[in-house]
Amino acid sequence: MKNNLFDLTGKVALVTGATHGLGMSMAKALADSGAKIVVNDINPEKLAAAKATYNADGYEVFTYIFDVTNEPQVIEGLDLIAKEVGPVDILINNAGIIKRVPALEMNVEDFRQVIDIDLVGPFILSKQVARGMIARNSGGKIINMCSMMSELGRETVSAYASAKGGLKMLTKNLATEWAKFNIQVNGIGPGYFATAQTAPLREAGHPFNDFIISRTPAARWGSPDDLQGAAIFLASHASDFVSGQILYVDGGILASLGKASNE
Ligand code: NAP
Ligand code: GCO
């Protein structure tokens, strides 16, 4: 019997903020599994450049501009997607920002912006996509990009950790409310990955770079492609009885106290 547990043929997948980094890698993985890919971003120039990259790499993508924090823009964008591509079956709430500022120095506007994009945005997208899934009685998959900071704090990332901790609990709550509609809501919790977002931490000689290498049992930064299996799993029938879970893809870092520097 053909094993179609991971087959996404006929599905429409929306990945927010997927012009590069983790979002692009996960979008390509879902496309490789048969899904039609819809890529969102807030920046038209970056989205146009990303489309060219996807196409050059052999992927057809549909691109839509909207700010995930702006509910009217999101509603309009989802309506267009439904008309031009098809209703969204799989949503990856990937768009996000981080501001690394000591709490005592962080202004409230910056704190609020991180919460707005990293937590309120996924709420808006999830609510509007779920409404369509429920209206169609289609069921569906929602995947929220959580973080190690959904579990741990570290200096300078109070807003981000608050948002990602909240996103973990939003994931569990929506999983509870929407199970009756056959909508599975899960999270992916990447460890430390080499993307534009962490580039400042990986600059030559930055102490954090050595710290992460030593603190991660796999002794390396994650590569965006390391997330592809988790994304396909949580987007496919293989996870139909999995909901409210955060799947950590972290090289073992959350499992380990770490080792003494001279070990
Ligand atoms: P990234 O390089 O910062 O990319 C984030 C994307 O989100 C960008 O394309 C950005 O667009 C977009 N975006 C920002 N605000 C938006 C808005 N209001 N509406 C729509 N799009 C918006 O991030 P990444 O490293 O690929 O990570 C992707 C996700 O995984 C994020 O949620 C991040 O918090 C999370 N994560 C990352 C790591 C890591 O180590 N890299 C680990 C754990 C979790 P512009 O470029 O046009 O601004
Ligand atoms: C930081 C990093 C992390 C990663 C990721 C870890 O400044 O600590 O940016 O927050 O982005 O979220 O899982």
Side-chain angles (χ1 to χ4, degrees):
M1 180 184 77
K2 180 174 176 293
N3 179 342
N4 65 354
L5 275 178
F6 301 95
D7 185 0
L8 302 179
T9 303
K11 301 293 186 186
V12 174
L14 166 62
V15 186
T16 62
T19 57
H20 61 273
L22 306 187
M24 177 175 273
S25 182
M26 290 186 289
K28 288 180 175 178
L30 300 191
D32 289 341
S33 293
K36 270 188 193 173
I37 300 304
V38 179
V39 170
N40 151 262
D41 204 84
I42 192 170
N43 181 307
E45 291 74 28
K46 288 187 181 178
L47 195 55
K51 185 179 178 73
T53 301
Y54 278 105
N55 293 164
D57 293 346
Y59 293 90
E60 180 192 19
V61 295
F62 301 86
T63 57
Y64 290 84
I65 300 276
F66 53 79
D67 175 346
V68 297
T69 68
N70 183 314
E71 191 163 41
Q73 280 186 23
V74 169
I75 292 169
E76 182 184 4
L78 291 174
D79 285 347
L80 269 178
I81 292 166
K83 289 189 183 85
E84 298 171 357
V85 185
V88 173
D89 301 296
I90 300 160
L91 167 66
I92 299 185
N93 282 308
N94 173 75
I97 65 168
I98 190 167
K99 291 181 186 291
R100 300 183 182 96
V101 179
L104 285 175
E105 298 163 30
M106 184 167 230
N107 63 53
V108 173
E109 293 70 31
D110 283 340
F111 190 96
R112 280 204 178 99
Q113 186 190 21
V114 175
I115 299 290
D116 208 16
I117 294 169
D118 293 11
L119 179 56
V120 179
F123 167 73
I124 291 170
L125 265 292
S126 300
K127 181 178 82 169
Q128 294 304 332
V129 165
R131 279 183 168 167
M133 292 171 175
I134 293 164
R136 300 191 304 278
N137 193 29
S138 66
K141 302 284 187 177
I142 296 173
I143 300 165
N144 293 318
M145 292 307 290
C146 294
S147 160
M148 282 185 48
M149 273 60 236
S150 298
E151 303 294 343
L152 302 172
R154 87 172 183 88
E155 293 189 353
T156 76
V157 295
S158 60
Y160 183 83
S162 302
K164 294 299 188 181
L167 188 56
K168 175 178 78 169
M169 292 316 299
L170 177 65
T171 299
K172 292 174 183 286
N173 212 79
L174 298 184
T176 303
E177 289 194 32
W178 295 342
K180 56 180 171 283
F181 302 118
N182 190 29
I183 298 170
Q184 289 81 50
V185 186
N186 291 288
I188 291 175
Y192 279 88
F193 278 67
T195 71
Q197 192 243 53
T198 57
L201 304 176
R202 291 179 287 108
E203 284 168 5
H206 195 302
F208 202 82
N209 183 60
D210 296 341
F211 167 67
I212 287 301
I213 302 279
S214 67
R215 181 72 176 73
T216 304
R220 65 175 177 86
W221 286 78
S223 157
D225 288 359
D226 286 322
L227 289 182
Q228 294 193 332
I232 294 166
F233 170 64
L234 291 176
S236 69
H237 286 304
S239 60
D240 281 353
F241 202 53
V242 177
S243 206
Q245 300 301 313
I246 313 301
L247 178 51
Y248 285 97
V249 184
D250 67 356
I253 195 170
L254 276 178
S256 172
L257 182 63
K259 62 182 186 301
S261 56
N262 58 354
E263 275 183 299

